[in-house]
Amino acid sequence: MGRSTNLLQQMAIFVTVVTGGGCGMMYYLMQTTIPDIQRAVVSSMGHPVSAAPLADGCTTQDYMHTDRYHDCP
């Protein structure tokens, strides 16, 4: 019984470390790519052809927060 408990503890520690590492890596990747996306959106706002689809999007004021599907009006 002691052997199976020891293996279970080792597995729990391993899964915790791997999950924490994966979460940390995703956070790092998100933090490094968001400024690139913001910079691309700002630079494309200067071009009239590419700015038209971006300007027609829904804003948070357009949403009815009680709406089930969050569709634009």
Side-chain angles (χ1 to χ4, degrees), residues 18 28 34 38 43 49 54 65:
V18 169
Y28 171 75
I34 287 175
Q38 289 174 340
S43 68
V49 174
L54 294 173
H65 296 289

Side-chain angles (χ1 to χ4, degrees), residues 3-5 9-12 16 18 23 27-28 32 34-35 39 42 46-47 50 53 57-59 64 68-70 72:
R3 175 109 174 113
S4 64
T5 305
Q9 287 175 346
Q10 288 177 354
M11 187 178 71
T16 302
V18 169
C23 290
Y27 178 77
Y28 171 75
T32 56
I34 287 175
R39 210 172 15 258
V42 168
H47 303 286
S50 62
C58 296
T59 61
M64 290 185 62
R68 181 176 181 176
Y69 301 105
H70 299 295
C72 288

Side-chain angles (χ1 to χ4, degrees), residues 5-44:
T5 305
N6 189 18
L7 290 175
L8 184 60
Q9 287 175 346
Q10 288 177 354
M11 187 178 71
I13 291 170
F14 174 77
V15 169
T16 302
V17 169
V18 169
T19 303
C23 290
M25 184 171 50
M26 288 302 295
Y27 178 77
Y28 171 75
L29 291 173
M30 287 172 48
Q31 294 300 316
T32 56
T33 56
I34 287 175
D36 295 337
I37 294 170
Q38 289 174 340
R39 210 172 15 258
V41 169
V42 168
S43 68
S44 67

